[in-house]
Amino acid sequence: MAISTEATRPGQSPDPARRGGPRARTGADRRGPGPREAADERTVGIRPTATEPTARPRTVPDDGAQPGVDTLVLGRRVRHLRTARGMTLDDLGAAIGRAASQVSMLENGHREPKLSLLQQVAHALDVPLAELLRDEAPSRRAALEVELERAQRGPLFASLQVPLVKVGRSLPSDALEALVRLQAEVQRLLTEKAATPEEARRANAELRATMRAQDNYFPDLEEHARGLLAAVGHPGGPLSQRGTADIAAHLGFSLHYVHDLPHSTRSVTDLEHGRIYLPHGLTSSADPRSALLQAVASHVLGHTEPRDYGDFLRQRVETNYLTAALLLPEEGTVALLREAKAERRLSVEDLRDAFAVTYETAAHRFTNLATRHLGIPVHFMKVHESGTLHKAYENDGVRFPSDPLGAIEGQPVCKHWTARVVFSIPDRFSPYYQYTDTSSGTYWCTSRVHGSPEGEFSVSVGVPFAHVRWFRGRETSERAASRCPDATCCREAPEELATRWAGRSWPSARPHASTLAALPTGAFPGVDATEVYEFLDRHAP
């Protein structure tokens, strides 16, 4: 679903109905609104409130009704309007031709009504139908009742086996407030407890599976990019710094380059005043367009504070994808790649040079488009100089090293793979090519090394042997064999060395501070919220 290219007021996300959902939509969910999201003559769908947990309230659907109605909010609105008019359950039931018990079920959120019934209720209460269908509860008290009811029907209360509380007028407001706050605090503590390295690895493994299932291609994000580029009159080809600034201005933002950007951030967006703050000094290896486009992308996609680490990772993938889709627009990039394939000279370097981006950005973008538009399965790896896998993607059958949870990040890569061998190649100007025979087949790979504050990384793109005929570098004579995960391949020391030093040495490992600790707390992992807010206070107009 395309995003509107009309400028939106900073601080106000684009209409969710027009952007197709910002956060959790990946894979099959990226097809736009389904039948549960639209009202028709039989049923009505109401958006859940922001406090709704994963589990929806269990309800009894009316004949012909389908799930999707936020019955708790609807019921409170009906009750509020009925009592405000001095009507009893019997009065309203008689007006709509239903028993009082059925009206009670509706008000208590135990029934999903047909649209025709809601029209009758609205007529009996002398209000427009839209008044019943509003998202928010009619009062603070009603909102608390809805939140507690929803929590008691969710998985947290069930897992704790806590006795249920009858949510009625006899429950004092202060007790209701305390129960709701207590439930929220328990949920927060459980979420914080779950934000461990194990949870992060699990979330990353799930995200990689989603990306693999759709060949790392996100059509709705491509549509977002097309809409934004068209809105600023981008003529095609590389996106200039001026064009990047035009996109920000089109969305209502002004740019401010500062020397005191919080160290834990790449940029800070002041949604209230329509300002994007960026670092004043950029390293020679940084692309000045990327940080700005990432800030813009989060706004365009309507990202809000992440619910959990998995949501944080999804947002990061979406932001990086949209940024790359703006820097390397799909139409022009695909045309270049198809021409190169026809001439059997596909090259990540050529893609990098044609659009004036970093090698890593070009490699990422190639994996977005290679399978969907060229019919080529592919894998991508970013490996630290220590030999550990930093991030990776594959849909070509290559087997990355993984732990029992299926997570690959931090796992040691075979020393014979291109991504490791390239560190020993003295020529850092030319790309390195290599064939590697593995337990899952033979793969050809091209790799480069680049520096960063965290050390050197290799960035590699590879394909199965059957597809190497389309690439430059296929004539390389470099070849290696890998038996990993067989430990005798490269993880066990040669017998002579082991005999000489086993039991006669003791290395002191350099542990990461977060090895056993939970991930950084807060809505945005790793970000010091106090530092950000103090920064905004200093610079606010």
Side-chain angles (χ1 to χ4, degrees):
M1 183 175 294
I3 184 172
S4 167
T5 56
E6 298 175 2
T8 57
R9 178 177 63 83
Q12 178 182 7
S13 299
D15 184 350
R18 300 173 73 178
R19 70 170 183 265
R23 291 192 300 175
R25 292 196 172 190
T26 53
D29 291 338
R30 293 187 171 275
R31 295 173 297 200
R36 296 185 181 182
E37 299 177 15
D40 60 19
E41 294 181 354
R42 298 168 298 157
T43 62
V44 59
I46 302 176
R47 291 182 306 180
T49 58
T51 57
E52 182 176 10
T54 303
R56 290 193 56 83
R58 294 177 62 85
T59 58
V60 178
D62 204 346
D63 292 341
Q66 61 185 15
V69 176
D70 188 346
T71 55
L72 290 174
V73 173
L74 171 64
R76 277 354 187 247
R77 297 200 66 81
V78 172
R79 177 181 296 168
H80 175 79
L81 293 167
R82 175 180 62 78
T83 56
R85 284 154 180 74
M87 299 176 69
T88 65
L89 289 171
D90 289 319
D91 293 336
L92 182 55
I96 64 175
R98 298 291 179 109
S101 61
Q102 291 180 295
V103 177
S104 179
M105 289 187 67
L106 173 63
E107 291 187 351
N108 288 317
H110 295 300
R111 179 171 294 279
E112 291 186 356
K114 292 192 297 185
L115 182 58
S116 58
L117 175 60
L118 291 183
Q119 289 172 331
Q120 290 178 307
V121 172
H123 180 73
L125 297 174
D126 193 26
V127 295
L129 178 61
E131 183 68 18
L132 296 184
L133 304 183
R134 288 171 60 185
D135 290 351
E136 67 274 9
S139 66
R140 168 65 178 169
R141 164 82 189 199
L144 289 172
E145 290 180 355
V146 167
E147 191 165 352
L148 182 56
E149 284 273 21
R150 185 170 289 133
Q152 292 191 128
R153 301 179 188 188
L156 177 58
F157 267 68
S159 65
L160 297 176
Q161 298 182 341
V162 175
L164 301 184
V165 176
K166 180 176 175 57
V167 183
R169 283 181 292 182
S170 62
L171 181 63
S173 294
D174 56 351
L176 176 61
E177 181 94 39
L179 287 170
V180 169
R181 292 186 63 180
L182 180 61
Q183 181 272 335
E185 182 64 13
V186 172
Q187 185 66 60
R188 184 190 68 79
L189 290 172
L190 287 175
T191 300
E192 183 174 316
K193 181 179 179 182
T196 60
E198 178 178 327
E199 169 66 13
R201 292 196 300 270
R202 181 198 60 77
N204 227 356
E206 291 180 356
L207 183 58
R208 281 198 306 110
T210 299
M211 295 167 66
R212 183 191 307 115
Q214 58 196 59
D215 296 325
N216 201 20
Y217 180 81
F218 295 78
D220 62 332
L221 297 181
E222 300 287 354
E223 190 63 30
H224 284 316
R226 278 192 290 273
L228 286 172
L229 292 171
V232 298
H234 179 61
L239 179 66
S240 65
Q241 291 190 40
R242 170 66 66 85
T244 305
D246 288 345
I247 290 175
H250 166 71
L251 295 171
F253 289 105
S254 59
L255 307 183
H256 301 265
Y257 291 87
V258 296
H259 291 281
D260 59 339
L261 194 73
H263 72 281
S264 59
T265 65
R266 296 177 179 175
S267 67
V268 174
T269 302
D270 181 345
L271 296 173
E272 181 179 354
H273 300 104
R275 292 178 158 211
I276 297 178
Y277 295 100
L278 298 158
H280 191 277
L282 294 171
T283 63
S284 58
S285 61
D287 188 332
R289 299 167 298 173
S290 294
L292 174 55
L293 289 177
Q294 287 171 347
V296 165
S298 293
H299 173 74
V300 166
L301 296 174
H303 286 164
T304 57
E305 292 186 359
R307 297 186 302 267
D308 50 38
Y309 203 79
D311 197 32
F312 170 76
L313 293 175
R314 282 191 296 272
Q315 289 187 11
R316 187 176 66 172
V317 166
E318 290 181 350
T319 297
N320 289 339
Y321 190 109
L322 181 54
T323 297
L326 290 167
L327 290 171
L328 296 91
E330 183 175 25
E331 183 177 357
T333 305
V334 170
L336 184 149
L337 291 175
R338 284 176 172 166
E339 179 182 353
K341 182 185 178 185
E343 298 178 2
R344 301 196 176 202
R345 55 173 180 81
L346 282 173
S347 167
V348 177
E349 285 79 10
D350 288 350
L351 190 60
R352 173 202 62 190
D353 297 341
F355 287 90
V357 294
T358 65
Y359 184 85
E360 184 174 352
T361 298
H364 269 299
R365 193 64 174 136
F366 182 82
T367 65
N368 297 152
L369 305 173
T371 304
R372 178 60 60 97
H373 292 289
L374 305 178
I376 299 176
V378 65
H379 67 265
F380 166 93
M381 289 189 294
K382 184 175 181 180
V383 176
H384 188 255
E385 60 184 331
S386 63
T388 56
L389 196 55
H390 185 71
K391 58 182 176 180
Y393 160 80
E394 53 77 23
N395 69 350
D396 60 357
V398 71
R399 296 178 185 172
F400 293 135
S402 65
D403 65 12
L405 294 175
I408 62 174
E409 291 73 23
Q411 295 298 305
V413 174
C414 178
K415 292 180 180 179
H416 303 301
W417 282 20
T418 312
R420 291 285 302 275
V421 175
V422 68
F423 285 109
S424 64
I425 304 301
D427 181 3
R428 297 294 172 89
F429 185 79
S430 306
Y432 176 70
Y433 308 110
Q434 178 181 299
Y435 291 96
T436 308
D437 300 318
T438 74
S439 60
S440 55
T442 297
Y443 293 87
W444 172 90
C445 203
T446 177
S447 187
R448 274 189 176 276
V449 174
H450 69 86
S452 78
E454 294 78 32
E456 290 190 332
F457 287 89
S458 67
V459 174
S460 310
V461 172
V463 297
F465 181 81
H467 294 272
V468 71
R469 63 183 182 275
W470 310 115
F471 289 83
R472 286 186 177 179
R474 60 187 178 274
E475 67 283 350
T476 181
S477 59
E478 299 292 343
R479 191 161 192 144
S482 168
R483 299 188 308 279
C484 282
D486 182 349
T488 62
C489 177
C490 66
R491 299 192 186 186
E492 290 184 358
E495 184 177 354
E496 181 180 353
L497 285 176
T499 301
R500 173 70 180 87
W501 292 108
R504 298 180 177 88
S505 60
W506 182 263
S508 179
R510 179 183 294 174
H512 295 288
S514 60
T515 300
L516 298 178
L519 292 166
T521 58
F524 299 95
V527 172
D528 186 331
T530 301
E531 187 181 22
V532 171
Y533 297 155
E534 289 175 346
F535 167 83
L536 288 170
D537 254 0
R538 288 197 303 273
H539 290 275

